[in-house]
PDB file of all heavy atoms in Angstrom:
ATOM      1  N   THR U  40       1.346 -12.818  42.155  1.00  0.00           N
ATOM      2  CA  THR U  40       0.053 -12.280  41.734  1.00  0.00           C
ATOM      3  C   THR U  40      -1.004 -12.259  42.825  1.00  0.00           C
ATOM      4  O   THR U  40      -2.010 -11.564  42.696  1.00  0.00           O
ATOM      5  CB  THR U  40      -0.505 -13.091  40.553  1.00  0.00           C
ATOM      6  OG1 THR U  40      -0.845 -14.420  41.007  1.00  0.00           O
ATOM      7  CG2 THR U  40       0.494 -13.171  39.420  1.00  0.00           C
ATOM      8  N   GLY U  41      -0.818 -13.049  43.880  1.00  0.00           N
ATOM      9  CA  GLY U  41      -1.818 -13.098  44.945  1.00  0.00           C
ATOM     10  C   GLY U  41      -3.030 -13.949  44.613  1.00  0.00           C
ATOM     11  O   GLY U  41      -3.974 -14.005  45.395  1.00  0.00           O
ATOM     12  N   ARG U  42      -3.017 -14.631  43.473  1.00  0.00           N
ATOM     13  CA  ARG U  42      -4.122 -15.523  43.127  1.00  0.00           C
ATOM     14  C   ARG U  42      -3.914 -16.858  43.823  1.00  0.00           C
ATOM     15  O   ARG U  42      -2.800 -17.404  43.817  1.00  0.00           O
ATOM     16  CB  ARG U  42      -4.213 -15.719  41.613  1.00  0.00           C
ATOM     17  CG  ARG U  42      -4.568 -14.449  40.856  1.00  0.00           C
ATOM     18  CD  ARG U  42      -4.419 -14.624  39.361  1.00  0.00           C
ATOM     19  NE  ARG U  42      -5.271 -15.686  38.849  1.00  0.00           N
ATOM     20  CZ  ARG U  42      -5.183 -16.159  37.606  1.00  0.00           C
ATOM     21  NH1 ARG U  42      -4.274 -15.670  36.772  1.00  0.00           N
ATOM     22  NH2 ARG U  42      -6.005 -17.115  37.209  1.00  0.00           N
ATOM     23  N   GLY U  43      -4.981 -17.390  44.456  1.00  0.00           N
ATOM     24  CA  GLY U  43      -4.763 -18.586  45.243  1.00  0.00           C
ATOM     25  C   GLY U  43      -5.999 -19.423  45.485  1.00  0.00           C
ATOM     26  O   GLY U  43      -7.057 -19.223  44.883  1.00  0.00           O
ATOM     27  N   VAL U  44      -5.840 -20.377  46.393  1.00  0.00           N
ATOM     28  CA  VAL U  44      -6.896 -21.313  46.765  1.00  0.00           C
ATOM     29  C   VAL U  44      -6.866 -21.522  48.271  1.00  0.00           C
ATOM     30  O   VAL U  44      -5.865 -21.228  48.934  1.00  0.00           O
ATOM     31  CB  VAL U  44      -6.726 -22.683  46.067  1.00  0.00           C
ATOM     32  CG1 VAL U  44      -6.868 -22.556  44.553  1.00  0.00           C
ATOM     33  CG2 VAL U  44      -5.393 -23.335  46.442  1.00  0.00           C
ATOM     34  N   ILE U  45      -7.945 -22.054  48.779  1.00  0.00           N
ATOM     35  CA  ILE U  45      -7.993 -22.549  50.152  1.00  0.00           C
ATOM     36  C   ILE U  45      -7.930 -24.069  50.090  1.00  0.00           C
ATOM     37  O   ILE U  45      -8.587 -24.688  49.248  1.00  0.00           O
ATOM     38  CB  ILE U  45      -9.281 -22.094  50.854  1.00  0.00           C
ATOM     39  CG1 ILE U  45      -9.275 -20.572  51.044  1.00  0.00           C
ATOM     40  CG2 ILE U  45      -9.459 -22.800  52.204  1.00  0.00           C
ATOM     41  CD1 ILE U  45     -10.600 -20.005  51.500  1.00  0.00           C
ATOM     42  N   ILE U  46      -7.138 -24.668  50.957  1.00  0.00           N
ATOM     43  CA  ILE U  46      -7.088 -26.122  51.073  1.00  0.00           C
ATOM     44  C   ILE U  46      -7.629 -26.514  52.443  1.00  0.00           C
ATOM     45  O   ILE U  46      -7.111 -26.087  53.470  1.00  0.00           O
ATOM     46  CB  ILE U  46      -5.655 -26.664  50.911  1.00  0.00           C
ATOM     47  CG1 ILE U  46      -5.101 -26.315  49.519  1.00  0.00           C
ATOM     48  CG2 ILE U  46      -5.613 -28.170  51.130  1.00  0.00           C
ATOM     49  CD1 ILE U  46      -3.655 -26.738  49.309  1.00  0.00           C
ATOM     50  N   ASP U  47      -8.687 -27.313  52.448  1.00  0.00           N
ATOM     51  CA  ASP U  47      -9.307 -27.877  53.653  1.00  0.00           C
ATOM     52  C   ASP U  47      -9.932 -26.814  54.566  1.00  0.00           C
ATOM     53  O   ASP U  47      -9.348 -26.398  55.568  1.00  0.00           O
ATOM     54  CB  ASP U  47      -8.320 -28.738  54.434  1.00  0.00           C
ATOM     55  CG  ASP U  47      -8.093 -30.094  53.770  1.00  0.00           C
ATOM     56  OD1 ASP U  47      -8.867 -30.449  52.861  1.00  0.00           O
ATOM     57  OD2 ASP U  47      -7.142 -30.797  54.163  1.00  0.00           O
ATOM     58  N   ALA U  48     -11.134 -26.395  54.200  1.00  0.00           N
ATOM     59  CA  ALA U  48     -11.927 -25.503  55.060  1.00  0.00           C
ATOM     60  C   ALA U  48     -12.594 -26.359  56.121  1.00  0.00           C
ATOM     61  O   ALA U  48     -13.751 -26.755  56.012  1.00  0.00           O
ATOM     62  CB  ALA U  48     -12.962 -24.747  54.227  1.00  0.00           C
ATOM     63  N   ALA U  49     -11.836 -26.661  57.153  1.00  0.00           N
ATOM     64  CA  ALA U  49     -12.232 -27.687  58.115  1.00  0.00           C
ATOM     65  C   ALA U  49     -13.206 -27.187  59.177  1.00  0.00           C
ATOM     66  O   ALA U  49     -14.118 -27.905  59.583  1.00  0.00           O
ATOM     67  CB  ALA U  49     -10.979 -28.254  58.789  1.00  0.00           C
ATOM     68  N   ALA U  50     -13.020 -25.980  59.654  1.00  0.00           N
ATOM     69  CA  ALA U  50     -13.832 -25.443  60.758  1.00  0.00           C
ATOM     70  C   ALA U  50     -13.512 -23.958  60.880  1.00  0.00           C
ATOM     71  O   ALA U  50     -12.620 -23.442  60.194  1.00  0.00           O
ATOM     72  CB  ALA U  50     -13.518 -26.168  62.074  1.00  0.00           C
ATOM     73  N   GLU U  51     -14.236 -23.265  61.740  1.00  0.00           N
ATOM     74  CA  GLU U  51     -13.993 -21.847  62.026  1.00  0.00           C
ATOM     75  C   GLU U  51     -13.921 -21.011  60.739  1.00  0.00           C
ATOM     76  O   GLU U  51     -12.875 -20.437  60.412  1.00  0.00           O
ATOM     77  CB  GLU U  51     -12.718 -21.685  62.846  1.00  0.00           C
ATOM     78  CG  GLU U  51     -12.744 -22.444  64.175  1.00  0.00           C
ATOM     79  CD  GLU U  51     -11.505 -22.212  65.011  1.00  0.00           C
ATOM     80  OE1 GLU U  51     -11.168 -21.037  65.239  1.00  0.00           O
ATOM     81  OE2 GLU U  51     -10.875 -23.214  65.422  1.00  0.00           O
TER      82      GLU U  51
END
Side-chain angles (χ1 to χ4, degrees):
T40 68
R42 295 170 59 190
V44 296
I45 293 170
I46 299 176
D47 284 347
E51 302 183 52

